[in-house]
Structure formats: C-alpha cells, structure tokens
Amino acid sequence: MTMTFDYNNIKSNIIYHKVEGYKYTYGTAGFRTKAELLDSVMYKVGILATLRSKKLNGATIGVMITASHNPEEDNGVKLVDPRGEMLEQSWESYATALANANDGESLAEAVEQIVTAHDINLEAPAHVIYAHDTRPSCPELVKALEAGLGASGAKYTSYGLKTTPMLHYLVRCINTANTNDAYGEPTEEGYYKKLADAFKMAVAGKPRLSTLHVDCANGVGAPKLSELMQFIPSDILSVSIVNDDITTLGKLNKDCGADYVKTRQQAPLGSSISPGDRWCSYDGDADRLVYYYSNSDGIFKLLDGDKIAGLAAMFIMELVHSAGIDSIKVGVVQTAYANGSSTNYLTHVLKVPVSCVNTGVKHLHHEAEKYDIGVYFEANGHGTVLFSPEALHTIKTIEAKTPAQQRAITQLQALTELINQTVGDAISDMLLVEAILTNRQCTLEEWDSAYTDLPNRLVKVVVADRHIFKTTNAERTLVEPEGLQKNIDDHVAKYSQGRSFVRASGTEDAVRVYAEAATRAETDELAYKISLLVFNEAGGVGKPPMMP
C-alpha cells in the first residue's frame, strides 16, 4: 500500500501514549520496554522509517520488532539502514523526539524538524520492510507500525517471522541487488542456501564432528535453524535443537538462552550435559551465541564472545598467511567487558592488533571497518567479522601457486559467504565456529585451552542519578565524580591481575561495576569493595552491596 505524505493524515491517525509522562529513548537496541507501552512508538517508527527512506532516495529501510534476550512481556523495535547496519546514530535523537510526541501538533512539528534539517523531498518514494520475533505482543504492534507506514505513504512489505539477523540480511540484499557488491538473494531460502553452500565448501573433505546441542531459547532461532538444516546434510553437520517451544506462553528466554547461560554461568535449566557433549545457546532473536561444555570433573565451562573472537582471529590469520596474502591485516575489536586474559592472548600470543571501544554494537562495528578483516565480538556473544571491499576483491581474485595456497584461498572465500557481515548472527556465527572446529578436528575443551579466563564479576549498584558518571578511555576510566577513579585504582592495586571499571547503565539509574582478578575470592572481594565505594561516595540508593 502506498500513498502521499500528508501531515493531516499523520496527525489524525496518531496513537496516543498509554501512560502519560512516560519517556522513551532510542538507544543501541532501539526502543525496548514493556510491550503494552509500545503501540504509540510503533506508529512513530513507521513514520521515521518512511522519512529515512525518502531521505535516501527510496532505499529500503528495515524495521525489526523484537526485544532480543529480554523477558517475554517486553518488546522493542529498531530500524535497519540500507546496507543492513544499525540506524545512523545522528537519527537516534529524531526517533526519541518522535516517540515522545503525544499529540498531533507536536508530532507534526517533530516531523517538520527532520524534513527541514535534511531537506527531504516528501514526494520521493519510500520503501520499508519489517519482521518480528515470536513474542505474543508482536501482532498488535505490527498493526500499529503499519498504521504509521500507511499514514506516511510508504510502500511496505511484511517478511513475517524472522530472526533479527535475517532481516538485516534481507535489507542489504534488496538494496545491493543488481550491483557489483550484490549481497545475496533477498529471500529466506536465499539466506539458507548462501550459508549452507558456504559451510559445505568450508568443511569439504573433513570428518563430521559429534552432534551439537543447540539451545534456541524457545525463540525464533528454533524454527529457522530447523529450516536451515534442510539444506545441510546430517553427515556434514549434526545438530539437536532444544528449547524450541515457541507457542507456550512465558517460555521465551525463560531459564535458557545465551544471556541466561552467560550471566548465570550455568547450562539451561533442566539440561543434562555430560563430558564430551557439545552445546551452544542462542538468545531470543538469534543474534547472540555462546558455547559451553562440561569438563571431565563435571564442571561447567563457558566459551563466550571473547573465546569466539580468539578462535575466529586465529583461524583467519592462519588462512591469510597460508594463502600468501600479506597485504591483508586482521584486527580484533573488544569492549572494556572483554576478559583480560582474552586481550592478553590476542595481543601477546596471536600478536593481532586489538582496539577497545565503548560498549554497544554500533561502536564495535564502526571500529572493525577500519581493518582489512575486522573481528568483533562482545563478551555476551554478539559479534561478526567484517571484510573490507579491498580484502574481498583480493580474496576473490588472487591466484594460487600451490595446492596449499589454493585450499586456504578457497576457505577464505567460503568464510566471506558464511559470515553475516551485516550484524551479529547466532546461526551464521555457529556455522563459523563449527567450520573452524571441523577443520582443526578440535574439541571444545581443546579450544578452551588456548587461554584461561580470569575470574570476573559484574555487579549492579542502584544510584540516585546515573548521569553524574562520566568516562573516558573506552569507558574504562571515570572522569566524574571527581576523585572516585583514584580510589578505585588504589583498591585495584592491592589485587593480583586486578582490574575494575564503573560505567552507567544506558536504561536505568544504576551503574555496572566490573571486576576481575587472579582468583575467585580476590575477584569477589574486589567487586564488593568497588561496589561499596560507588554506593557510599556516588549516591547509592537502597541497601548497600553485599559480599557475594
């Protein structure tokens, strides 16, 4: 359905806030809150997507309705730019302004500010595609989104139930179709075939590993992984899908999924893991991945985003060297939450350049673009690998001089297709890990032995005003409140391999205190002392922190 852009239409169809005075903020994850508070926001997001497309001469913009790893009663929405990347950061404030407009006149004023600031031709075409996860609130929110798209005159298409990374893939495919950098076929089957064909090429001639148990968090990853596996023979990859109930209310992300496993440092509730078993977990919209296993003593062992980054960087560097492509430089991007042992391994063992940036996918993604091949993963399991246009051209066109060189080049070519370069993708990242482990005929325990994580702890401290906390040095050093960082440093200096930093939450009046040290006892004590320090000196609220 398509119409012209009509201010009166936009004003007369406005959906009003359910809670007066509620403030919405568009951040790295888009809008995310209780589902019942989002219908008014969806209407405005439809309008913003239309304006964004018009600004970009009719390029297709994506809208994804999901709250990722959040509880089922939450939901959210975010926009996807034409190359499958996050919404341009300068437009986030427009999203916030539109969302908080609660009458026709203020909405029209917020729209007019965007139109004027960017000289948008309202007669230009607008194309928007959208998808959603399995949450029961999605159908009603889709209706509100469609109302906004219709009122603002966009041509819009629903892609139904999809993982978040699949929508990012589709947006890029649509916008690059019939160009020199066409990304793929803009269909669900096109996504499956691209990944399946690349995986088969990457593991050709290698014995299959044992079955991988995949916890899909009772989310959209379950049906989509099941559909993908129709394109990969079981003698090449064997998976067993668990936590795949997407119909029973209340099950999404409940006691399972990547976030649960990472934060609890334990397997999904009810799972039985024996030594030698191979396990991984997605989150609710399948954009995070963590691996884990039980060692010979029955102790749970986590292989998080840091471990995946190390594995990917090691394998890609080996292939680049074996292919004889000295011009390609590999780099890794981390945040302050990366375990100190992983940074040490990358820097001193692999000898790969490492950048540290502020928390948030958009920061990692942009930094990774500075390398020929940029590997980025957050510790939570969200990440991917980016290949520069020059690196892609070199990998595609270089001629081998030996059979060994040819094997490495073929595998690099396969990886460029296997990896979803638009965004972190649990399914794609799982296939990347499986391809590497298959090539090396490597167990999870052998992978884990590359380095040992320092014990670490993350503590939330509720404060009166999170905005008083200002950081520098990629959020690792406090500038304000003045003097607090020196006190933190004084405590840290007393612990072997101690490290701690404090950063404000992006969504609530709280700060996160991260601590690591050589032993679990030292780590817990350091985390407690820094948390108490913050509570006492920077406006802690409620009960003071307790020793773990």
Side-chain angles (χ1 to χ4, degrees):
M1 181 179 181
T2 181
M3 300 181 295
T4 58
F5 194 94
D6 184 337
Y7 279 97
N8 288 328
N9 207 21
I10 286 170
K11 289 192 286 186
S12 62
N13 285 283
I14 188 171
I15 298 174
Y16 294 99
H17 295 173
K18 283 203 169 75
V19 177
E20 282 293 330
Y22 189 91
K23 294 298 181 188
Y24 299 94
T25 303
Y26 192 103
T28 298
F31 293 111
R32 194 175 291 181
T33 186
K34 298 300 178 190
E36 65 265 22
L37 299 177
L38 280 170
D39 55 350
S40 66
V41 170
M42 294 294 167
Y43 178 77
K44 278 61 162 283
V45 165
I47 297 168
L48 185 67
T50 300
L51 292 172
R52 183 74 178 149
S53 179
K54 287 178 180 289
K55 164 63 181 171
L56 299 175
N57 302 312
T60 296
I61 298 298
V63 178
M64 185 68 202
I65 301 175
T66 180
S68 190
H69 58 280
N70 279 36
E72 189 174 285
E73 61 268 22
D74 291 353
N75 215 325
V77 61
K78 60 182 178 180
L79 277 76
V80 179
D81 261 358
R83 290 190 64 81
E85 72 273 48
M86 302 288 186
L87 175 68
E88 183 182 306
Q89 191 170 354
S90 65
W91 276 61
E92 291 180 3
S93 60
Y94 298 140
T96 298
L98 284 177
N100 288 300
N102 198 31
D103 60 70
E105 291 305 321
S106 60
L107 177 59
E109 287 174 15
V111 168
E112 182 58 31
Q113 285 180 352
I114 301 170
V115 171
T116 302
H118 293 277
D119 194 23
I120 296 174
N121 175 12
L122 293 178
E123 297 303 312
H127 300 93
V128 179
I129 68 170
Y130 54 95
H132 57 83
D133 69 12
T134 58
R135 293 167 194 272
S137 56
C138 284
E140 286 303 311
L141 296 180
V142 165
K143 290 178 185 176
L145 173 68
E146 289 171 342
L149 292 168
S152 54
K155 182 177 181 182
Y156 55 90
T157 305
S158 169
Y159 276 78
L161 183 67
K162 293 285 178 288
T163 69
T164 294
M166 289 174 79
L167 183 78
H168 284 254
Y169 164 88
L170 290 166
V171 170
R172 183 156 173 175
C173 288
I174 290 168
N175 286 301
T176 59
N178 303 315
T179 69
N180 289 334
D181 65 342
Y183 195 63
E185 182 187 323
T187 64
E188 189 167 71
E189 187 170 303
Y191 170 87
Y192 295 143
K193 284 183 174 178
K194 180 176 182 177
L195 296 189
D197 290 347
F199 182 77
K200 287 181 276 191
M201 185 191 301
V203 301
K206 298 291 183 180
R208 192 202 78 184
L209 300 179
S210 63
T211 296
L212 176 67
H213 303 272
V214 186
D215 157 33
C216 290
N218 295 313
V220 64
K224 299 312 177 187
L225 176 58
S226 180
E227 290 165 13
L228 168 73
M229 292 310 298
Q230 296 172 24
F231 295 88
I232 303 177
S234 58
D235 62 345
I236 294 177
L237 177 65
S238 172
V239 303
S240 171
I241 300 174
V242 297
N243 293 322
D244 60 351
D245 184 352
I246 63 170
T247 56
T248 303
L249 290 177
K251 283 213 164 186
L252 178 65
N253 294 320
K254 180 68 172 173
D255 299 328
C256 61
D259 190 61
Y260 175 90
V261 171
K262 168 67 176 169
T263 56
R264 299 290 189 94
Q265 300 278 309
Q266 66 186 50
L269 198 65
S271 300
S272 177
I273 304 181
S274 302
D277 288 352
R278 301 185 331 110
W279 280 73
C280 70
S281 285
Y282 299 172
D283 66 339
D285 67 336
D287 70 353
R288 292 186 186 185
L289 172 76
V290 296
Y291 271 71
Y292 45 98
Y293 67 97
S294 177
N295 71 8
S296 55
D297 296 322
I299 297 171
F300 173 86
K301 293 286 188 176
L302 177 70
L303 294 150
D304 63 6
D306 293 341
K307 289 280 187 177
I308 296 172
L311 182 74
M314 174 271 300
F315 187 65
I316 291 169
M317 289 177 72
E318 284 182 359
L319 290 181
V320 168
H321 178 72
S322 299
I325 313 176
D326 296 332
S327 61
I328 289 181
K329 304 303 178 190
V330 181
V332 176
V333 186
Q334 297 183 317
T335 72
Y337 289 111
N339 194 278
S341 289
S342 75
T343 310
N344 186 64
Y345 169 72
L346 292 165
T347 305
H348 299 294
V349 179
L350 294 186
K351 301 190 185 309
V352 61
V354 176
S355 303
C356 186
V357 298
N358 288 0
T359 304
V361 174
K362 60 193 174 194
H363 301 299
L364 290 113
H365 195 93
H366 290 317
E367 185 68 20
E369 289 177 325
K370 297 177 183 178
Y371 294 104
D372 298 321
I373 301 178
V375 180
Y376 77 81
F377 277 86
E378 293 183 286
N380 63 26
H382 186 283
T384 188
V385 181
L386 304 183
F387 295 80
S388 71
E390 295 76 19
L392 285 171
H393 178 76
T394 300
I395 292 167
K396 191 174 181 179
T397 59
I398 190 170
E399 294 184 6
K401 296 174 182 174
T402 67
Q405 239 185 322
Q406 185 58 60
R407 280 194 299 275
I409 292 167
T410 299
Q411 288 200 309
L412 276 172
Q413 290 170 343
L415 292 192
T416 65
E417 296 291 307
L418 182 62
I419 295 163
N420 185 346
Q421 294 178 58
T422 64
V423 74
D425 182 339
I427 293 176
S428 166
D429 290 340
M430 180 194 79
L431 293 178
L432 170 63
V433 171
E434 290 300 298
I436 297 170
L437 297 180
T438 301
N439 272 281
R440 298 177 70 84
Q441 291 294 293
C442 180
T443 66
L444 298 188
E445 197 152 8
E446 288 167 340
W447 167 20
D448 197 19
S449 68
Y451 66 87
T452 301
D453 275 332
L454 289 169
N456 58 89
R457 187 168 292 281
L458 187 62
V459 179
K460 182 173 85 170
V461 180
V462 179
V463 294
D465 181 9
R466 71 181 187 271
H467 300 291
I468 67 171
F469 293 84
K470 310 291 185 189
T471 62
T472 186
N473 187 26
E475 300 178 315
R476 292 173 290 189
T477 305
L478 273 178
V479 178
E480 295 178 15
E482 194 173 340
L484 187 54
Q485 184 62 51
K486 182 184 183 304
N487 292 338
I488 292 172
D489 293 341
D490 290 344
H491 280 294
V492 168
K494 299 171 185 175
Y495 295 86
S496 174
Q497 295 179 269
R499 183 169 75 95
S500 183
F501 66 90
V502 176
R503 65 178 286 272
S505 166
T507 56
E508 57 184 329
D509 273 324
V511 294
R512 315 286 181 191
V513 174
Y514 178 89
E516 63 184 32
T519 67
R520 169 52 64 194
E522 286 182 293
T523 298
D524 289 346
E525 186 177 279
L526 177 58
Y528 165 68
K529 287 189 173 179
I530 302 301
S531 300
L532 192 62
L533 181 70
V534 170
F535 185 89
N536 289 334
E537 296 191 14
V541 173
K543 294 181 179 178
M546 304 280 288
M547 182 72 182

